[in-house]
């Protein structure tokens, strides 16, 4: 099956979608697509067929999201923990990914027509080299599309992603691009694999398991979490509508928590800048206390310099990441 499933909603689905769309809609939905193997066992089919049907369900879900005007979706396709499964199953999942990314490249015109940008979040180094190259090609091919976004978490766990972000900031300090005092919560967010996306509004896990399994831990602290008992390959349009409805019911409190958090971050940053300026003035002020106007000017100057420094660091980081993908592509596919 292709990544893009064409087709309209039927009449009752269309009416329901329009009713839902009269309320606040999530702009970004994340899925833990769990239950493929239980689905296979219950239906007496091969485990690999369960995963294949899981992919088909993903394509169908993307179509529903498009009709519900949800422009961004993130899915947990392969966790670093999944490498601990049997060789047979890991090889099967790698082969499925190979087939699907090859297919994605074949249907590049259709992806362009629909404006679909595919990103892969995770440590590609853990994957077979040919798959790394295919993924890099797919990501580069759809990079400039901007109508809808699919983030595929592959060789991913959240704690690994956060640790990697901390490493990137340490690299920035080592290179003299940023100061250790520039390290902050918003800067760490910018160093995550997910830096190009807003945080998910809604996270859905299927199969009845009530845990996050190291998925988007940083990004979902103010998201609506919905756990549904249906197995992923059996997921339906109505399951998705029910989850969106739950989001709508908690939308106000989520929004409030986010606003409060944003304000708190801004005041923390201001305080951090003030401390740096005070230290600077103490060292360079010949023991004389600075007046209010001088402190204010110094603070403004420091804030502007810090913002420029951070932007230059993020540009360098982006260049490093882009080069990794282009090098993989020019590596003779
Ligand atoms: C979880 O169910 C599912 C996975 C570990 C794999 C998910 C992968 C897909 C749906 C295919 C996506 C492929 C691409 C290329 C995007 P499980 O295996 O944990 O099943 P269980 O919970 O019943 O044991
Ligand atoms: Mg599972």
């Amino acid at each position: 099956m292709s990544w893009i499933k064409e087709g309209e909603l039927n009449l009752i689905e269309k009416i329901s979608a329009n009713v839902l769309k009269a309320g606040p809609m999530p702009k970004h939905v994340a899925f833990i697509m769990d239950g493929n193997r239980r689905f296979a066992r219950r239906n007496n089919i091969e485990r690999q067929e369960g995963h294949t049907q899981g992919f088909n369900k993903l394509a169908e879900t993307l179509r529903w999201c498009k009709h519900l005007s949800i422009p961004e979706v993130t899915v947990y396709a392969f966790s670093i923990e999944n490498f601990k499964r049997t060789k047979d199953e890991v090889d099967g999942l790698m082969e499925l990914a190979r087939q699907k990314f090859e297919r994605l490249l074949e249907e590049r015109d259709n992806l362009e027509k629909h404006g679909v940008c595919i990103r892969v979040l995770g440590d590609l180094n853990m994957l077979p080299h040919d798959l790394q190259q295919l993924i890099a090609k797919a990501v580069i091919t759809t990079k400039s599309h901007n109508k809808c976004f699919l983030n595929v978490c592959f060789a991913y766990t959240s704690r690994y992603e956060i640790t990697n972000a901390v490493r990137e900031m340490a690299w920035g300090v080592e290179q003299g691009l940023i100061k250790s005092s520039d390290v902050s919560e918003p800067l760490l967010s910018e160093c995550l694999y997910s830096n190009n996306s807003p945080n998910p509004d809604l996270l859905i896990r299927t199969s009845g398991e009530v845990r996050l399994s190291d998925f988007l831990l940083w990004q979902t602290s103010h998201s609506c979490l919905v756990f549904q008992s249906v197995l992923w390959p059996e997921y339906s349009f109505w399951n998705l509508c029910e989850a969106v409805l739950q989001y709508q019911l908690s939308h106000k409190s989520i929004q409030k928590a986010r606003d409060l958090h944003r304000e708190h971050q801004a005041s923390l940053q201001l305080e951090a800048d003030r401390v740096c300026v005070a230290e600077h003035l103490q060292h360079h002020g010949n023991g004389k206390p600075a007046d209010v106007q001088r402190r204010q000017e110094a603070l403004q100057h420091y804030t502007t310099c810090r913002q420029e420094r951070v932007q230059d660091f993020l540009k360098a980081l982006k260049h490093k990441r882009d080069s990794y993908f282009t090098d993989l592509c020019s590596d003779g596919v």
Side-chain angles (χ1 to χ4, degrees):
M1 178 177 298
S2 119
W3 289 73
I4 295 186
K5 212 164 176 277
E6 305 280 352
E8 290 299 315
L9 298 178
N10 66 35
L11 186 63
I12 181 84
E13 288 171 344
K14 227 181 242 172
I15 294 169
S16 310
N18 285 337
V19 171
L20 269 186
K21 282 200 274 183
M25 289 300 285
K27 292 185 179 63
H28 182 181
V29 179
F31 290 94
I32 302 180
M33 312 180 285
D34 198 18
N36 292 351
R37 297 184 298 186
R38 272 166 282 173
F39 172 81
R41 269 198 304 275
R42 281 180 203 174
N43 290 280
N44 285 319
I45 55 172
E46 295 282 323
R47 187 182 54 211
Q48 181 67 7
E49 180 55 23
H51 290 312
T52 302
Q53 293 204 27
F55 176 85
N56 297 348
K57 186 55 70 178
L58 168 60
E60 207 174 355
T61 304
L62 293 176
R63 180 175 74 88
W64 299 328
C65 286
K66 179 178 153 249
H67 288 300
L68 287 169
S69 310
I70 297 169
E72 182 146 7
V73 168
T74 299
V75 293
Y76 209 2
F78 191 87
S79 117
I80 293 173
E81 292 295 308
N82 290 152
F83 280 112
K84 293 182 189 149
R85 293 190 177 187
T86 63
K87 182 176 181 317
D88 193 38
E89 182 173 359
V90 173
D91 288 350
L93 282 163
M94 294 299 146
E95 188 49 37
L96 181 62
R98 224 173 250 123
Q99 281 169 20
K100 296 306 173 187
F101 281 104
E102 267 163 11
R103 179 72 192 254
L104 191 149
L105 288 169
E106 283 160 21
E107 49 189 23
R108 60 183 84 189
D109 290 348
N110 208 17
L111 289 164
E112 188 178 355
K113 189 179 108 193
H114 286 87
V116 184
C117 169
I118 311 262
R119 306 186 187 114
V120 178
L121 280 50
D123 187 346
L124 296 193
N125 286 310
M126 295 184 186
L127 303 173
H129 194 65
D130 65 321
L131 183 55
Q132 290 183 33
Q133 290 178 312
L134 269 174
I135 289 176
K137 262 200 156 183
V139 168
I140 288 178
T141 304
T142 66
K143 205 174 155 168
S144 61
H145 304 166
N146 58 9
K147 284 206 194 96
C148 40
F149 301 88
L150 171 62
N151 308 306
V152 179
C153 295
F154 211 93
Y156 173 93
T157 59
S158 191
R159 281 178 292 187
Y160 189 94
E161 178 187 35
I162 295 167
T163 309
N164 184 59
V166 172
R167 249 187 239 126
E168 299 291 22
M169 291 190 293
W171 170 79
V173 174
E174 216 174 80
Q175 298 290 312
L177 294 166
I178 47 171
K179 297 173 188 253
S180 55
S181 59
D182 295 335
V183 171
S184 66
E185 201 180 302
L187 182 59
L188 195 150
S189 299
E190 292 288 341
C191 296
L192 295 172
Y193 298 132
S194 65
N195 67 326
N196 289 309
S197 303
N199 288 334
D201 301 299
L202 169 63
L203 181 143
I204 298 169
R205 180 174 190 150
T206 58
S207 93
E209 306 291 342
V210 184
R211 56 200 151 85
L212 291 177
S213 300
D214 219 340
F215 182 54
L216 303 180
L217 302 180
W218 183 276
Q219 297 89 339
T220 56
S221 54
H222 301 111
S223 305
C224 173
L225 310 183
V226 174
F227 299 93
Q228 298 178 301
S229 56
V230 58
L231 301 179
W232 175 250
E234 291 173 333
Y235 204 67
S236 73
F237 176 75
W238 304 111
N239 293 133
L240 180 58
C241 287
E242 187 216 334
V244 170
L245 200 59
Q246 286 204 40
Y247 164 76
Q248 294 185 332
L249 292 174
S250 56
H251 171 256
K252 270 210 180 112
S253 54
I254 288 177
Q255 209 49 46
K256 205 169 153 193
R258 282 183 173 174
D259 291 345
L260 275 175
H261 183 73
R262 200 172 306 117
E263 278 168 29
H264 182 58
Q265 282 307 312
S267 67
L268 279 181
Q269 185 63 70
L270 183 62
E271 194 44 42
D273 286 355
R274 278 210 178 108
V275 168
C276 291
V277 168
E279 274 172 11
H280 179 84
L281 290 176
Q282 209 172 19
H283 280 112
H284 299 89
N286 302 325
K288 276 186 271 162
D291 60 31
V292 176
Q293 193 189 343
R294 181 146 175 255
R295 277 207 308 267
Q296 198 56 35
E297 282 167 5
L299 181 62
Q300 249 169 31
H301 177 71
Y302 182 83
T303 304
T304 309
C305 291
R306 175 183 53 74
Q307 285 168 342
E308 282 172 9
R309 198 160 60 228
V310 164
Q311 283 318 310
D312 287 347
F313 161 65
L314 291 174
K315 246 186 247 165
L317 185 58
K318 182 175 177 328
H319 178 73
K320 187 160 73 124
R321 289 182 174 174
D322 287 351
S323 309
Y324 174 75
F325 278 96
T326 36
D327 289 352
L328 263 175
C329 271
S330 54
D331 206 8
V333 179

